[in-house]
Amino acid sequence: LLAKRKSGEMMKKIAARSFDSTYKWTPVLFITLALLGALAVSPAYSQNTTTTTVTPDPSTVTIGNTITYTATVTDTSGSPTTPTGAVSWDDGSADGSFSNSGSCTLVTLDSSSAACTIVYTPPSSPGSVTITATYGGDSGHDGSSGTSSLTVLTSAQATQNLIDLVNSLNLP
């Protein structure tokens, strides 16, 4: 109601200033009144908020192998419903590849969350990759995104990590 009153007062002020000397309407007035009128009568509608979690995080993979990721989308509103739709995946131009053209369809887990999985083949060079899962939202939910840190190792690096782990156990 306050928004309608303020927009009405604003329209009167603009109308008073927008007449030319012969009392003709100016184009600025028509556009301004149309915009203010649309704002005054548009209902406030908000969608439920979501979070997207990516697992595993962090993770490690050896060049030539694949890793499976899961995106879980959860409705975090006070009256949650199950998110529907798809999640798109990205590796920030690291040159790895995702199954299913980098997209997966959410499957219901419970009354407030859904999940989907995808297989990732890492790039052919070692290094760090940030995996991002983006939920685009649906008719009742806002979109959200989540990330996971991936370390891509050569076979020699993976072997050395295993040796280091065994040595750290101090086995007799």
Side-chain angles (χ1 to χ4, degrees), residues 37 40 124 126 145 164 171:
S124 58
S145 63
D164 293 345
L171 299 173

Side-chain angles (χ1 to χ4, degrees), residues 2 11 39 57 81 83 89 95 100 118 123 125 128 140 149 153 156 164:
L2 183 59
M11 284 188 233
L39 292 175
D57 179 37
T81 58
W89 296 82
D95 291 330
N100 301 322
I118 200 157
S125 56
S128 296
S149 299
L153 303 173
D164 293 345

Side-chain angles (χ1 to χ4, degrees), residues 84-169:
T84 60
V87 172
S88 60
W89 296 82
D90 182 66
D91 69 358
S93 302
D95 291 330
S97 62
F98 293 95
S99 61
N100 301 322
S101 301
S103 180
C104 58
T105 302
L106 291 171
V107 175
T108 300
L109 295 177
D110 56 39
S111 63
S112 65
S113 61
C116 65
T117 60
I118 200 157
V119 176
Y120 178 70
T121 303
S124 58
S125 56
S128 296
V129 177
T130 298
I131 303 296
T132 302
T134 303
Y135 170 59
D138 62 22
S139 62
H141 296 92
D142 287 332
S144 58
S145 63
T147 61
S148 174
S149 299
L150 173 65
T151 302
V152 180
L153 303 173
T154 63
S155 293
Q157 290 171 318
T159 301
Q160 186 59 52
N161 284 355
L162 184 57
I163 291 169
D164 293 345
L165 175 65
V166 169
N167 288 338
S168 72
L169 297 175

Side-chain angles (χ1 to χ4, degrees), residues 37-118:
L39 292 175
V41 295
S42 296
Y45 177 75
S46 64
Q47 293 183 302
N48 291 1
T49 56
T50 63
T51 58
T52 298
T53 307
V54 179
T55 54
D57 179 37
S59 54
T60 303
V61 66
T62 305
I63 295 170
N65 291 324
T66 61
I67 185 168
T68 300
Y69 281 100
T70 300
T72 303
V73 180
T74 304
D75 180 331
T76 57
S77 70
S79 299
T81 58
T82 305
T84 60
V87 172
S88 60
W89 296 82
D90 182 66
D91 69 358
S93 302
D95 291 330
S97 62
F98 293 95
S99 61
N100 301 322
S101 301
S103 180
C104 58
T105 302
L106 291 171
V107 175
T108 300
L109 295 177
D110 56 39
S111 63
S112 65
S113 61
C116 65
T117 60
I118 200 157

